[in-house]
Amino acid sequence: MSDVYAQPTAAAQPASTDDLAQYTTLCLGGPAGRVVTAINADEIVSRVREAGSEILLVAGGSNVVIGDGGFPGTVVLVRSRGLRVLTEDEQTVTVRVEAGEPWDDLVAATVRNGWSGLECLSGIPGSTGATPIQNVGAYGQEVAETITAVQVYDRTAGTVGQVDAADCGFAYRSSIFKYNERWVVLSVDFRLARSPLSGAVRYAELARALGVEVGDRVPLAQARATVLGLRAGKGMVLDADDPDTRSVGSFFTNPVLDAGAYEQLRQRAAGLGEPPAWPGAGDLVKVSAAWLIDKAGFGKGYPGPEGTAISSKHTLALTNPTGTASTQALLTLAREIRDGVQTRFGVTLHPEPVLINCTL
């Protein structure tokens, strides 16, 4: 096994106990009872064991909405770093990545090394350990396609072990780890192709931006640069100078409807054009939440209380552009959108981020 880059070895130090807003991309969240830092897998396990039942793990903070009351227990900041090669041959390489490794740093490293499989997931904020929890996906790729195993601490058994990909229960933006406090992700194994070219381009918007046909392959660096450009144009790449990026990215998941429900949606949408949709398993259809939100009257820049707003670039992102709003204000805007879509189209939107000590 070889190291691509090393993880830090300095002793962990307690972090400040200021409001949790400083640890989230939304810049929202009240105080924690206690905040500690863990810089490797062993420290993550020990911090979790010490904390007992009231514990919240935060890494990139890009997919979490924390209530104004904060979190009364222990918050563990996951800051483990590192990537190493486990196995390799002429066609593939399997790498193990620590949970706290920033996701886009990993994607950039795979592109530099000529490893194909993650390039269309460029620019997604957050940590590597969060990707199997959410089964992160974008532009036609999902991490479920390349993950082979997840190393975990099992809080029920009190042991460290491994969950193979087949047992992770991967589904659209979901897995057995989501909304389940039993497992703490320590590291993730990915099997990637040794290739200078991307996987087959599956997403029509990306194909158009690349100037190729769906199914074509392009150089890895070109795929990454184009995805980063598309995401930046939607305010979906973190940028301190862009207030639209003070968000959790997509706030709502795309609804998955059966054939009957989709036909009812089409009838209610008469005169607005065909609702964008993608076929799923069986008679299921995934519908564009962004289209539903826009056609229900909530366009880009739609204002909410306390300065919250829908992003000026993308209707799926709810933002805290001034950094001074409350979580309650953001959720008030989210409820207005959810209820408006339900009234107009009969479709219920569900939040994509994890809500901590708050409800929608």
Side-chain angles (χ1 to χ4, degrees):
M1 296 184 291
S2 60
D3 288 337
V4 175
Y5 48 87
Q7 62 183 26
T9 57
Q13 298 295 326
S16 70
T17 55
D18 294 339
D19 283 357
L20 294 171
Q22 66 184 303
Y23 303 118
T24 71
T25 56
L26 264 172
C27 299
L28 294 176
R34 178 171 176 256
V35 180
V36 297
T37 301
I39 66 166
N40 56 46
D42 289 342
E43 286 192 356
I44 295 171
V45 172
S46 64
R47 295 288 187 260
V48 171
R49 284 175 172 162
E50 293 166 0
S53 59
E54 278 198 304
I55 185 170
L56 173 64
L57 283 87
V58 176
S62 62
N63 197 51
V64 63
V65 180
I66 301 175
D68 296 314
F71 185 78
T74 298
V75 173
V76 177
L77 301 178
V78 177
R79 300 293 184 256
S80 54
R81 297 290 299 268
L83 177 158
R84 60 192 174 112
V85 174
L86 293 181
T87 62
E88 55 186 322
D89 56 34
E90 292 183 359
Q91 286 76 39
T92 66
V93 57
T94 299
V95 296
R96 177 164 294 173
V97 188
E98 299 303 314
E101 185 67 28
W103 175 253
D104 196 54
D105 287 1
L106 168 62
V107 178
T110 65
V111 169
R112 286 195 305 270
N113 282 284
W115 301 337
S116 176
L118 302 180
E119 58 282 349
C120 291
L121 304 178
S122 293
I124 295 175
S127 69
T128 297
T131 61
I133 297 171
Q134 188 76 359
N135 186 17
V136 164
Y139 295 104
Q141 285 183 341
E142 286 184 336
V143 293
E145 300 167 9
T146 52
I147 289 176
T148 60
V150 180
Q151 289 69 50
V152 298
Y153 171 57
D154 184 335
R155 296 178 67 193
T156 300
T159 58
V160 173
Q162 177 170 291
V163 181
D164 293 334
D167 299 319
C168 288
F170 288 128
Y172 172 59
R173 300 298 176 270
S174 185
S175 71
I176 63 168
F177 309 114
K178 192 170 184 179
Y179 305 123
N180 190 329
E181 296 182 353
R182 175 175 178 179
W183 291 284
V184 175
V185 175
L186 303 176
S187 58
V188 187
D189 295 349
F190 299 88
R191 180 179 294 126
L192 306 170
R194 286 186 174 278
S195 173
L197 299 178
S198 69
V201 176
R202 303 171 186 165
Y203 203 77
E205 180 189 15
L206 178 58
R208 288 193 298 270
L210 287 164
V212 301
E213 298 296 323
V214 171
D216 288 348
R217 304 172 71 196
V218 300
L220 289 173
Q222 182 184 1
R224 173 171 166 77
T226 303
V227 168
L228 286 172
L230 288 171
R231 291 186 63 86
K234 299 174 182 178
M236 296 291 189
V237 176
L238 292 181
D239 181 350
D241 296 325
D242 183 355
D244 274 335
T245 69
R246 199 168 287 122
S247 75
V248 289
S250 298
F251 193 90
F252 295 104
T253 57
N254 291 321
V256 178
L257 309 177
D258 61 28
Y262 180 63
E263 182 56 35
Q264 290 178 11
L265 168 61
R266 293 181 68 229
Q267 293 174 12
R268 296 181 72 154
L272 299 175
E274 190 76 6
W278 302 270
D283 69 346
L284 298 179
V285 177
K286 184 166 63 176
V287 179
S288 169
W291 187 92
L292 293 171
I293 292 168
D294 181 66
K295 298 303 182 183
F298 304 98
K300 297 173 184 176
Y302 184 89
E306 297 181 24
T308 60
I310 292 178
S311 167
S312 66
K313 302 179 182 69
H314 199 295
T315 54
L316 267 183
L318 307 188
T319 67
N320 174 23
T322 66
T324 59
S326 65
T327 301
Q328 187 57 45
L330 187 89
L331 293 176
T332 296
L333 174 60
R335 293 186 195 103
E336 182 184 1
I337 295 167
R338 179 199 61 190
D339 295 347
V341 169
Q342 173 65 41
T343 299
R344 179 63 181 85
F345 295 114
V347 175
T348 301
L349 297 179
H350 298 282
E352 183 167 322
V354 178
L355 307 183
I356 303 297
N357 284 353
C358 57
T359 59
L360 184 60

